Amino acid sequence: MSASPDQIVPLSASRSRGLAGRVRVPGDKSISHRSMIFGLLSVGETTVEGLLEGADVLATAEACRKLGATIERVGEGAWRIRGVGVGGLLSPESALDFGNAGTGARLMMGVVAGHGITASFDGDASLRKRPMMRVLTPLLRMGAEIVSSAEGGRLPLVLRGAADPVPITYETPVASAQVKSAVLLAGINAPGRTTVIEAEATRDHTERMLAHFGAEVTVTPHGDHGRRIVLQGRPELRPSPIVVPADPSSAAFPLVAALIVPGSDIVIEGVMMNPLRIGLITTLKEMGADIVELDRRVEGGEDVADLRVRHSALKGVDVPAERAPSMIDEYPVLAVAAAFASGETRMNGLDELRVKESDRLAAVAAGLAANGVDHRIEGNDLIVAGTERAKGGGLVATHMDHRIAMAFLVMGLASDKPVTVDDTGFIATSFPVFVPMMRGLGAEFA
Ligand code: S3P
């Protein structure tokens, strides 16, 4: 049985022989959340294949049920959603509990804001600490109201949506796909055009899914790295089949493990290669990683490829701040790769890492320190002084953060002494089969 966020399960990873084999990591978390939400918002049956059955997505599914959808699992990763359609949502009788899932909570705030219903939002201790005003500020402009909230608009929160939401033009002050998506989801039920302008392009799964379900959405470049997204409100969303590709943010863990464990040679199948998600692969290739894309093809409307990854001599690089949105969840494991590189890796512009499931900048720095890896933080930049090794031997505090747990378990597979993480329970939020899958490749976990 895999762990769950309800159990505290420590684990140690130790130096392993070369990893070998073929794996397919679970479905993309961002697309899985959106599959449930778009299923809810269309009338009729949406089928999903390859859904990530992690705790985060299951929380979003439960919230969709409370808002009126009928959702059933019909096989492994195969789900059917009968939606109620835009305008057909019910006020839920009990609180929508998103557990650890920022994406579920923030996207659903957009959905509720665009409907004349009232809903309570809650989550675990990690989610209760995370900022929500970034999403609520534009939603209030669209007509939603905060009935009550914890300090600073945090969860637990009661949100009253607008029966007639006002379409707005919103320039996002932070590079956040969640903020963009919340505004667009509220805009679905607004008459006229809702526009989101982002200075740095962020993952575009909401825009793609809007188009896939029949909405009129146009995306044009804005400035050097940004985009302007215009949604024509009140579309008739048609239920459409969804095939979820493998999550590049989960693939990142076996990928970096194979790069740092000598003798490794693995294949990770069907990894989504959406350009807004593969900043880590670009960076690792710059570091000298041997990653070969095999059989590039289109699956479920996204480019995917099988990635052959072999142990590589890595060198330190400078990672530009503008690349952050395309690899925002991958910095913890990149910091691990950087420890095993020769020379300094400088990761610029990591301010958003401070507001993830944990303060990831602090958690990564503490994990590196506990395992004898020389590093420093300068402003919002993390600099890791790579020496082609990590001493290990440390105990890493994961702070309810799945990616901190997985990143440091990966470190332990190549460090001099084992690395222990204090809790693997939260890995179940995004990658429930991580431990058995890595063991299958030869990872030594005890
Ligand atoms: C996500 C967006 C990102 C990312 C998160 C998933 C999404 O968050 O970190 O894991 O699915 O839209 P931000 O929008 O806060 O950058």
Side-chain angles (χ1 to χ4, degrees), residues 106-130:
R106 293 192 178 124
L107 268 53
M108 201 61 90
M109 284 181 193
V111 172
V112 168
H115 284 79
I117 60 173
T118 298
S120 307
F121 290 77
D122 206 351
D124 67 14
S126 154
L127 191 55
R128 282 182 172 200
K129 281 190 208 147
R130 298 181 68 185

Side-chain angles (χ1 to χ4, degrees), residues 28-31 33-34 103 106-107 130 134 175-181 202-203 205-206 249 277 325 328-329 352 355-357 360 402-403:
D28 186 68
K29 181 152 76 74
S30 294
I31 296 181
H33 280 296
R34 287 161 174 80
T103 305
R106 293 192 178 124
L107 268 53
R130 298 181 68 185
R134 51 178 53 205
S176 165
Q178 294 176 0
V179 173
K180 166 176 67 179
S181 300
T202 62
R203 66 191 68 195
H205 309 302
T206 301
S249 298
R277 295 291 300 281
I328 193 66
D329 292 334
E352 276 296 299
V355 291
K356 294 296 176 187
E357 286 82 332
R360 280 191 183 151
H402 53 135
R403 298 198 205 280

Side-chain angles (χ1 to χ4, degrees), residues 40 63-69 84-85 87-94 96 111-112 115-119:
L40 166 73
C64 289
R65 284 195 182 104
K66 289 187 181 179
L67 291 164
V84 290
L89 269 54
L90 310 172
S91 279
E93 283 167 13
S94 56
L96 309 178
V111 172
V112 168
H115 284 79
I117 60 173
T118 298

Side-chain angles (χ1 to χ4, degrees), residues 21 66 169 205 229 239 243 269 277 282 370 384 398 421 431:
K66 289 187 181 179
T169 293
H205 309 302
I229 302 111
V243 180
E269 294 173 358
R277 295 291 300 281
T282 307
V384 177
T398 52
V421 302
F431 196 164

Side-chain angles (χ1 to χ4, degrees), residues 427-439:
I427 294 175
T429 61
S430 70
F431 196 164
V433 294
F434 171 78
V435 169
M437 188 178 282
M438 293 300 294
R439 278 196 174 124

Side-chain angles (χ1 to χ4, degrees), residues 72 83 107 112 117 147 149 160 276 287 289 292 296 332 336 372:
E72 49 170 351
L107 268 53
V112 168
I117 60 173
V147 178
S149 77
R160 184 181 300 130
L276 295 169
M287 294 172 81
V292 182
R296 201 163 170 134
V336 170

Side-chain angles (χ1 to χ4, degrees), residues 15 70 94 106 133 179 198 201 232 313 324 335 382 388 411 421:
R15 195 176 257 274
T70 307
S94 56
R106 293 192 178 124
M133 279 319 293
V179 173
E198 47 182 11
Q232 185 64 51
L382 173 65
E388 299 175 42
M411 172 178 271
V421 302

Side-chain angles (χ1 to χ4, degrees), residues 23-60:
V23 286
R24 186 181 171 96
V25 303
D28 186 68
K29 181 152 76 74
S30 294
I31 296 181
S32 295
H33 280 296
R34 287 161 174 80
S35 303
M36 288 293 160
I37 292 174
F38 277 83
L40 166 73
L41 292 176
S42 42
V43 180
E45 189 172 283
T46 294
T47 58
V48 187
E49 274 174 50
L51 186 90
L52 163 64
E53 295 173 334
D56 277 11
V57 174
L58 299 181
T60 294

